[in-house]
Amino acid sequence: MKKNDRIYDVKGFDLSQENMGLQETIFHNANGYLGVRGNLEEGLPEGMDTMRGTYINGFYDMVPMKQAELLCNLVEDKEALLNVADAQTLKCRLGDTTFSMWEGECENLCRTLDMNRGITTRTLRWHMPEGKSVDFDIRRMASFSEKSLFMIDYRVTSVDYSGRAQILSLHEGIVHNYSNPNDPRMAAESGDYLKKVAGKTIGDVSLLVSETASTHLRVASAVALEITRNGKPVYPGDGCLVYDEETHQTIFRMETSLTPGDTLRVVKYCIFTDSRRSPEPAQDALARLAAVREKGTEVLYQEQQEFLEEFWNRTGLSVEGDEELNQSLQYNMYALLQSAGTDGITSIPAKGLSGEGYEGHYFWDTEMFMLPFFAMNAPEIARKLLSYRYHTLPQARHNAMLLGHKKGALYPWRTITGRECSGYFPSGTAAYHINGDIAYAVVLYYLSTGDVEFMREEGFEILLESARLWMDVGNFYQDEFQINCVTGPDEYTCMVNNNYYTNCCARYNLEWVCRLGDAWQKDTEFWKQLCQRLDIAPEELPEMKRAAEKMRLVYDENLGINPQDDSFLQKPVWDLSRTDPKDFPLLLHYPPLHLYRYQVCKQADTVLAHYLFPAYQSEETIRKSFDYYEKITTHDSSLSTCVFSIVASRLGLHDKAVYYMGDSAKMDLKNTHHNSRDGIHAANMGGSYMAIVNGLGGLRMEESRVSLAPFLPESWEGFSFRFTYRGSVLEAAVKKTPDGSCRTELAMVSGHPVCVCLYGIEKVLAEGESITDTPD
Amino acid sequence: MKKNDRIYDVKGFDLSQENMGLQETIFHNANGYLGVRGNLEEGLPEGMDTMRGTYINGFYDMVPMKQAELLCNLVEDKEALLNVADAQTLKCRLGDTTFSMWEGECENLCRTLDMNRGITTRTLRWHMPEGKSVDFDIRRMASFSEKSLFMIDYRVTSVDYSGRAQILSLHEGIVHNYSNPNDPRMAAESGDYLKKVAGKTIGDVSLLVSETASTHLRVASAVALEITRNGKPVYPGDGCLVYDEETHQTIFRMETSLTPGDTLRVVKYCIFTDSRRSPEPAQDALARLAAVREKGTEVLYQEQQEFLEEFWNRTGLSVEGDEELNQSLQYNMYALLQSAGTDGITSIPAKGLSGEGYEGHYFWDTEMFMLPFFAMNAPEIARKLLSYRYHTLPQARHNAMLLGHKKGALYPWRTITGRECSGYFPSGTAAYHINGDIAYAVVLYYLSTGDVEFMREEGFEILLESARLWMDVGNFYQDEFQINCVTGPDEYTCMVNNNYYTNCCARYNLEWVCRLGDAWQKDTEFWKQLCQRLDIAPEELPEMKRAAEKMRLVYDENLGINPQDDSFLQKPVWDLSRTDPKDFPLLLHYPPLHLYRYQVCKQADTVLAHYLFPAYQSEETIRKSFDYYEKITTHDSSLSTCVFSIVASRLGLHDKAVYYMGDSAKMDLKNTHHNSRDGIHAANMGGSYMAIVNGLGGLRMEESRVSLAPFLPESWEGFSFRFTYRGSVLEAAVKKTPDGSCRTELAMVSGHPVCVCLYGIEKVLAEGESITDTPD
């Protein structure tokens, strides 16, 4: 792979509001804890809309969500990720003009995301209205080694300007979430959720503490500036730092001068801490600020680069022959890394930490679309993501109880701390498959890592409580185990009976509880203790086994497919070929009740089940299902095309696999869904990774081995990827042979010997060994 | 029937908040246009909760109804009946004490509703704290002959009191709907919807005009007092009438004196007019006020009594042998009369005009439960109720379009002017059976009256537009016509496929369009014009005929019953015998998603279909269905027991018929559902009437005749009722014979000869003729 495939830049871009909004997302800086939108330090001109935000993963307040009609136990408020403080503002005034890209003229304008170094930059030569010129070089970083740190490294170099240079820097403690006066719904939700607690300056440090209105969480931010001219300290020294109590902000002003060739460099260290992680956020912020200043920028940059070197070394994904695709894939993996909470009390918001879309909530997106990437490349992060779910089991039990269940746990459809935050239950709370999704991810992690300790301590309890819920929600009817009135992944059909995907998930969940139970019962003492701790009755697992065996998986003899649910096929087929292109996405143009009455899918549903649970159906059925659903799926959800790509790969439909993968991989970087301004589509990013590794690569984690069966798209030269399996790192390299077919080399890079299966040939590989084969 | 069965009184009642709230409903005065709660003129003591209200049928403003999640075309505001003005206040101060039932002591306390005279009274002897006594006699009336008039006739007679007597009378133009600080939802909805427009005094008349905030409807109220002492005028004369602009109210004060034996009589004429009916409500109010004052109280009382004499003469319903039941039935008929809008732009609110429950909305309640009473006893009112629906066809067409339909009209689930006001569409808007209900009522009215003119001008168009909707929402599948994803009457199951009730309604609707079309096509010219006016394509009716013939009416071979919908029987049966009595109604204790997963019914659904459409199933099936659904129906809806009573009668289950009828008939007067304080259960009142006439009486309107097959409950001596059929008045009298069985005499009271069928024997009866028979 060319080194610069991980350097994404845009040059001479247009300054439209739309493009600036998109760039705020694309060039955001985040590290799983902290996320800062790619706003401009100097702001946008008056009247241009911007979503200016700094977010801490899982830092939230309660927002009212009144229901139009009162029904028992409906959710009437929700958690919402807050914009916590604004430390981004830096303004540079030269002569009579404050720097802005909309004043004077910009030359060599360029924004860059350097994924090898983990920084974003903005560089340009600015021709001032007065006629002189200066160069700007602005770097931003959210540090992976010091997660509380966001840093701005701002350099102004005079080309031919001589005169005054004024620096204004702000640190604002009261900020609001994004609101748009044209959308009263959003405006209503951007209330005053942050309250001032304390603010002060301590030497050259600005410290602000705010508290949320109803959850009483505290956030502290500590900011320090270091300013040099041509490498020599200017501040601390000159300059004036003042805390304004009324507005709860700190204002820094300094005036100096520039002559041609001079470089003024402003380093702004911004530390964010919060009371969900720290008992004393303010003290903690000051200590961390002191620590990072002690290190200094060069060490911090170095740490960032080393961290990313290791990350890229572990993923090792590269596509030869489609540069744009390859770069998009790098971006997607990078964005996933930026998004993932790794502290066990957070997960991955649907939009990562790149924006406020979906209120920073965690959905099934994490487990089904993003966690697989981490399981294969950073299992320690995957485990943390599962631990987050383990820690919210009490809330999930409570949620089940609120919904009338007598046992088990039901995970919320969308949440931050574990309580249900979905306002429209028919396509929210009713999506019980979330339980099966989490169970699937637990098993996937276990298969990838063999981490028995995790399973014994946390994983099994998740599986068990989820399985208990299936036993409570389901019932036997005509010798089948039924699950009625739930909603599958496809939200264009709601509250149906025996959704194929849901029932597959439930069956798999129940099977794995029984499988682990069977295995662990041999360890009598451990099993006895476990039964005691988890209150497992002797008849419980046998009942689950029977439910799994008798699980209704709908099948239609005529079509030879799995209908999406019991009654899906009795509805008329929506004719997508006659639908006005302006009417997509359908959910914005048709009321739910109308959509529910047609065979039309927002996203992969049965097809997703075919990917995840291929053993439940013959390949013939899967092929027919794929063909059937492809015709009625709109892909209005961003979670759809990646799944179609994977299953197309499985079925040998190579052209389709590549076509769908392209949509998935380039969604954000190319803004193909026209809404990346609100934030990245994090799940789709994981999906595009799976489309390569699990789709093209055919990788499957199995109980006794990992198997692969890659194929190479015609237009590509090759592709390769690394993955971690049971602690060992392996690399698959797929190359075009001189005769135009492909050849795969699977090599053990490091670790203990593991059993692999390439194109159906099984072998145990030790470190340094490899096998090479070609598809049939 | 004893004369006093139409005089309901409560003596020496307790003064608890609960009881006073109930009395506010029971003793409300209304006339279909105007409704005044049975509040006390002097108000309640500080801290006691009251719903003080005066309502004009269909006078509303828009109330925001924010949805928790934004979905396409969801309703986000609703119409709500407004409390329009308060003219009730009259306070009498004797010496140092203002009269209140909570001061001093009350003797011979009595509240009466005299349904023969159409007035309510409150009488008592008040022992003042100071030791002296006066008698109060307060009468209230909402006039049927002058519908804008509400009148208070207030008499104070001194027993042994001598001294000052002060009268304070208020007329308030800015009032609010009921709010309860303990229920934030209600509080939020009691906003400032009335704005002051004008207020003044003109001689002894107080005139206030207010306007609604968003719909800009105007309400005018004109109030005049006439005061006499021992029959001699005191006011106009003494007294002081002042308009206070700031509070938009008029205050009247007068001071006089009383000596033992003196009677001070205050007559308060209160006229209400509004801009939905009158282009100049203020002038109209003044003119009407002058007119009623000209008439004077005695004439007004006389007119009221005459009006009611005619009403009672037409209904003639009487039960001998259960006085409490008989009185409840009289009350129910009276309350229905009080509730019915008769101007073609209003219908009957779910709570009549007795309270604010359900925001004054019209539901299917009118057509299915109340209109039959009027069709049989006051067809001119039934026609007005149907005209209301006809006039809202444009809104129903718009509603269908909003829901994605390409043709037809869909009536709103709840509304005032015709727009959908339901906030939770799965059990609101999705209840498409509303269309079939209205169609059924059109046909019922036609069968009862033979009013071809109405059918040609309005009725057929309703049927046709409704039928078109069925054709659009339904689809053929496996040679059956299906209607998917709708909600039947039973709201404990939502958005199901082929709800039996709905499909029956749709079939009946389609059949009648075809039947009328077939008949009318013979009149070539008329049919041609009609096809042109209603844009009827040649293939349209044949397609409807086919859909009707192929309509899927679910039937289960094993149980021999009609399942409520396609998947009802695959759900587990809710065990009502093991449900904690505290958990009823279930909807307050279980979330909808939970209820939807069980075989448990809030109300009659399939059983209602069996009543309405007996021809669609064998009696054997109906019997089995009745048994089956009886076990799983909670009757949490007030619309349930009356239906079970009717079908029990049909099946010869006499004990059950009487049992269920009792619950239905006494619901409000005995407050059996513990919520009559919010207003009457108007639909149930109509249902209790049907339980007698259509249930016990077995009355059915048919195309060529009216048939009856009464039976007499064992404990009764007899019952009788009159009804109007094709313009003729008939009377059925059922009497116990000396041997304990029963005998029915069916007599033609007045009108043209009609064909009747008694116990299966058909005969044409002319005026004055009768037939007598006994059941087999």
Side-chain angles (χ1 to χ4, degrees), chain A residues 69 76 185 423 484 567 597, chain B residues 69 76 423 484 497 597:
Chain A
E69 284 191 21
E76 297 222 79
R185 183 171 297 264
N484 291 320
S567 67
R597 271 194 209 108
Chain B
E69 285 190 19
E76 296 221 79
N484 292 319
N497 301 328
R597 269 194 209 106

Side-chain angles (χ1 to χ4, degrees), chain B residues 154-172:
Chain B
Y154 189 102
R155 294 171 220 220
V156 194
T157 302
S158 170
V159 178
D160 57 3
Y161 170 78
S162 289
R164 281 191 307 163
Q166 294 169 286
I167 298 292
L168 170 74
S169 167
L170 298 181
H171 175 201
E172 298 169 75

